Amino acid sequence: MNRGTLAPYAVTESISRGRHHAEPSPRERGEFQRDRDRIIHSTAFRRLEYKTQVFVNHEGDLFRTRLTHSLEVAQLSRSIARALGLNEELAEAVALAHDLGHTPFGHTGQDELNACMKAFGGFEHNLQSLRIVDMLEERYAAFDGLNLMFETREGILKHCSPANAQALGELGRRFIEGTRPSLEAQIVNLADEMAYINHDVDDGLRSELLSLEQLDAVTIFAQCRLDAEARWPGLTGRRLVHETVRRMIDALALDLINRTRTNIEKAGVETLDDVRATPTLAEYSGEMWSRLRELKTFLFNNLYRHERVMHMTGKARRIITDLFTAYMSDPDLLPPQHRAFAERSGKPRAVADYIAGMTDRYAMKEHRRLYGKSDPIRHQVT
Ligand code: MG
């Protein structure tokens, strides 16, 4: 990356806190490019293809998975980072890694695994993403995990309980001291939400769980649809949806860039240390934030709690709980690598690591193998 184009408060290699295990500098690549490349080559990244965002992924080939979601977050993060003069490669690396720790079956899977792990320290997908890049990937001779740069790891860890923060040492310190992560990390956090809200609208319409008429009750959607129809009179169907959604993304990204730029100027931020010491700088304007909240509430009530999604949720819960119960009562059912993890991290954590790493379809297959019943989800989808 050409340092001449970076803002003075961007993260650079020269001010980075570096890697836990010292390594020779890469040739013909920057350190944050290397992080991005390591993430893309990881096992956990490939598995995102078969993990659900909202819809179980064999419902149709047209819906987003965690892989395409992560790519969309990376695209938005890079565009916004570049507009603000931030380190685009760091933003990209954080975005590609942000969902690595997600369980099968979307948020349902995470909630259920957290319930199973209640007596053993809980389960949190965000912390799990860090655990994967710090410990669980087995690819390098010299260390466990991917040995990523401090700032990449910092960006992956969006939130953290005080107890976990203590255990994480330097990386957890900001949660105890109340300081902020880099602007690159702040941007990815918002790009994540921006991506899923817009692709859930798109997938919701495509699956016909949502209708255009319903969405017209949401201010930002109605405004962008009117704008699209004014530019392209008579436009209907998928093209109308895309012309509307692309306008929503554009409006959100531009608002975020402008507001963040203003915040940086107003706060007189000049260095990365200033960024860390200042209240969160990356944000939407008040007006855009209330429109976004309106859309999120709409999606929560009409899509995430749609009876078809909820029905799937019940089945997914059962699979996660059944798998957890089976491995806890007979750890010999775990593959050798995870039995070795059990010696190091304790049985419950090793079981959670194993289940969290599964794709939706692998979890269903494993459930069928252990319980000998027909797949509770597949029979539901017609
Ligand atoms: Mg995400």
Side-chain angles (χ1 to χ4, degrees):
M1 164 157 287
N2 180 359
R3 277 161 193 72
T5 62
L6 286 183
Y9 38 79
V11 173
T12 59
E13 283 178 25
S14 57
I15 56 169
S16 168
R17 295 187 207 172
R19 302 182 191 277
H20 187 67
H21 301 275
E23 293 186 67
S25 296
R27 289 176 295 177
E28 308 291 347
R29 281 187 296 177
E31 295 284 5
F32 292 103
Q33 276 178 282
R34 173 149 78 176
D35 276 9
R36 176 202 56 202
D37 300 350
R38 285 184 174 182
I39 291 159
I40 287 178
H41 287 281
S42 70
T43 305
F45 186 74
R46 279 196 302 286
R47 287 185 183 154
L48 294 175
E49 181 175 4
Y50 298 105
K51 292 199 182 197
T52 310
Q53 190 69 19
V54 173
F55 301 90
V56 174
N57 73 25
H58 55 68
E59 261 199 289
D61 290 342
L62 298 175
F63 301 115
R64 268 74 169 185
T65 66
R66 290 220 175 261
L67 180 65
T68 55
H69 164 69
S70 298
L71 295 174
E72 289 180 31
V73 177
Q75 178 268 313
L76 289 168
S77 301
R78 288 181 57 181
S79 299
I80 297 163
R82 179 177 287 218
L84 292 170
L86 300 171
N87 185 332
E88 201 178 322
E89 287 149 3
L90 168 60
E92 184 181 20
V94 172
L96 292 174
H98 87 282
D99 268 354
L100 290 180
H102 259 291
T103 61
F105 312 126
H107 287 282
T108 307
Q110 123 104 25
D111 292 347
E112 198 58 24
L113 193 52
N114 187 31
C116 293
M117 286 292 288
K118 201 170 171 121
F120 314 106
F123 176 88
E124 212 274 292
H125 70 86
N126 192 222
L127 209 54
Q128 189 70 10
S129 298
L130 187 71
R131 199 169 152 75
I132 286 169
V133 300
D134 279 359
M135 284 182 62
L136 298 180
E137 283 286 329
E138 296 184 302
R139 310 184 69 78
Y140 300 93
F143 44 77
D144 288 333
L146 305 179
N147 194 34
L148 301 179
M149 299 286 274
F150 177 90
E151 293 75 14
T152 309
R153 298 169 59 234
E154 172 194 62
I156 293 171
L157 191 66
K158 281 189 285 197
H159 32 77
C160 187
S161 68
N164 286 327
Q166 286 287 357
L168 285 168
E170 197 192 353
L171 196 69
R173 202 187 303 156
R174 77 178 166 91
F175 299 99
I176 297 159
E177 292 175 352
T179 55
R180 252 64 48 187
S182 70
L183 264 164
E184 287 83 350
Q186 294 182 28
I187 289 296
V188 177
N189 195 9
L190 292 172
D192 180 17
E193 181 188 55
M194 195 188 295
Y196 79 69
I197 281 172
N198 283 288
H199 63 53
D200 288 351
V201 166
D202 188 31
D203 283 350
L205 286 166
R206 199 191 299 266
S207 62
E208 296 181 351
L209 295 180
L210 299 177
S211 69
L212 280 173
E213 293 64 38
Q214 264 180 309
L215 272 157
D216 276 340
V218 181
T219 311
I220 187 170
F221 186 90
Q223 281 174 343
C224 291
R225 179 182 171 175
L226 280 176
D227 188 47
E229 286 171 335
R231 172 68 184 79
W232 302 101
L235 192 68
T236 57
R238 293 302 307 164
R239 284 181 201 253
L240 175 60
V241 172
H242 284 304
E243 287 289 346
T244 303
V245 170
R246 68 187 278 251
R247 281 169 171 76
M248 291 203 295
I249 294 175
D250 205 45
L252 286 161
L254 289 177
D255 183 273
L256 172 59
I257 290 165
N258 287 328
R259 177 60 174 241
T260 304
R261 200 177 270 148
T262 307
N263 284 350
I264 292 167
E265 276 166 25
K266 267 198 201 152
V269 166
E270 285 173 1
T271 65
L272 179 57
D273 284 342
D274 291 346
V275 171
R276 294 188 188 287
T278 309
T280 304
L281 290 157
E283 62 173 10
Y284 296 103
S285 65
E287 195 192 346
M288 189 56 89
W289 176 233
S290 61
R291 283 183 199 169
L292 194 63
R293 206 163 35 210
E294 184 194 3
L295 179 54
K296 280 173 78 169
T297 306
F298 171 88
L299 286 174
F300 183 81
N301 292 331
N302 296 284
L303 183 63
Y304 308 143
R305 302 192 66 80
H306 191 287
E307 65 169 8
R308 240 178 94 201
V309 175
M310 292 301 280
H311 198 90
M312 212 73 88
T313 296
K315 309 285 183 183
R317 277 186 199 287
R318 206 178 95 205
I319 292 182
I320 298 285
T321 312
D322 284 354
L323 290 178
F324 189 82
T325 308
Y327 301 130
M328 284 296 278
S329 55
D330 184 2
D332 286 342
L333 292 170
L334 294 171
Q337 177 203 13
H338 289 272
R339 284 205 295 271
F341 284 156
E343 314 241 310
R344 194 169 57 177
S345 311
K347 185 170 72 172
R349 186 58 58 191
V351 168
D353 285 341
Y354 184 44
I355 295 175
M358 291 180 182
T359 61
D360 294 7
R361 62 185 188 177
Y362 185 81
M364 288 187 271
K365 197 174 129 207
E366 188 66 358
H367 187 268
R368 232 174 5 249
R369 186 177 76 84
L370 295 174
Y371 286 86
K373 293 174 196 162
S374 58
D375 178 343
I377 284 186
R378 186 155 301 165
H379 282 237
Q380 182 54 37
V381 184
T382 44

